[in-house]
Amino acid sequence: MVRIVNLTNMFFLLLIQVNLGLFCKDVNPNLEGLYTFPVPPFAKSNAIYGEWKNPYPSDVSIQSIQSNRYQKLELHDSVTDDFGVVRMHQRDFPILVKKGAAFKLVKGGRHLMLYEKKQEATEKHILILELDSKQRIEIDVEERNR
């Protein structure tokens, strides 16, 4: 009896996996998930993490990034020195993203820092990536709880 129940459960799990594989892939290949965490109104800065996958058949360079909620945006790398002190180093654009690769932003590593929040905005937080081909891509930034 237990064997029949286990086989039935395995069959349903297989159906679910096949269904997800067929109908839920490549829903939006440009957005792999950029996110930020909520900060109090008096905070002077915020950070963005996640990744954006290059959907183009060739390498692209990100020339600049802008935000509709913040006036200043900087790309930083966090580096831990030999004494265990973590320091942030600002990186300059352009950033090369190879064909099929992703521009990854992680806590404790490369991330985007946002400064000088514009007036209280109720609209969605959007990042605008300007590529080397003068193309602009808008990406929604999700606000996640910690």
Side-chain angles (χ1 to χ4, degrees):
M1 181 68 180
V2 174
R3 181 180 237 171
I4 293 172
V5 171
N6 284 341
L7 286 174
T8 306
N9 287 343
M10 286 176 37
F11 176 72
F12 283 118
L13 288 174
L14 177 66
L15 283 177
I16 291 170
Q17 284 182 329
V18 169
N19 215 358
L20 288 173
L22 289 175
F23 299 110
C24 295
K25 74 178 193 186
D26 294 336
V27 174
N28 187 351
N30 291 339
L31 178 62
E32 296 297 323
L34 292 180
Y35 62 93
T36 187
F37 297 114
V39 294
F42 56 83
K44 301 287 185 200
S45 64
N46 199 352
I48 291 181
Y49 310 104
E51 68 178 42
W52 174 80
K53 188 173 180 184
N54 178 1
Y56 300 104
S58 61
D59 299 348
V60 295
S61 291
I62 300 173
Q63 299 297 316
S64 68
I65 301 176
Q66 290 113 27
S67 168
N68 68 334
R69 286 196 182 169
Y70 291 84
Q71 293 186 20
K72 188 176 176 186
L73 187 142
E74 295 177 357
L75 180 64
H76 289 174
D77 283 336
S78 294
V79 180
T80 306
D81 65 13
D82 296 335
F83 301 105
V85 177
V86 177
R87 301 182 192 280
M88 287 194 295
H89 298 285
Q90 184 176 348
R91 298 297 176 211
D92 294 325
F93 291 100
I95 302 296
L96 178 68
V97 182
K98 298 227 179 247
K99 173 179 81 170
F103 174 59
K104 294 184 180 185
L105 303 168
V106 295
K107 291 174 74 174
R110 180 167 284 180
H111 59 278
L112 288 171
M113 289 298 298
L114 306 166
Y115 301 101
E116 300 174 23
K117 189 171 186 176
K118 295 177 183 175
Q119 64 226 13
E120 231 17 76
T122 56
E123 61 201 35
K124 289 193 284 186
H125 189 181
I126 297 173
L127 282 187
I128 299 140
L129 276 63
E130 196 167 304
L131 304 179
D132 51 357
S133 60
K134 302 296 180 209
Q135 184 174 4
R136 295 169 56 99
I137 296 174
E138 292 187 359
I139 300 175
D140 291 338
V141 177
E142 177 186 350
E143 191 167 286
R144 296 183 184 172
N145 292 325
R146 293 186 190 258

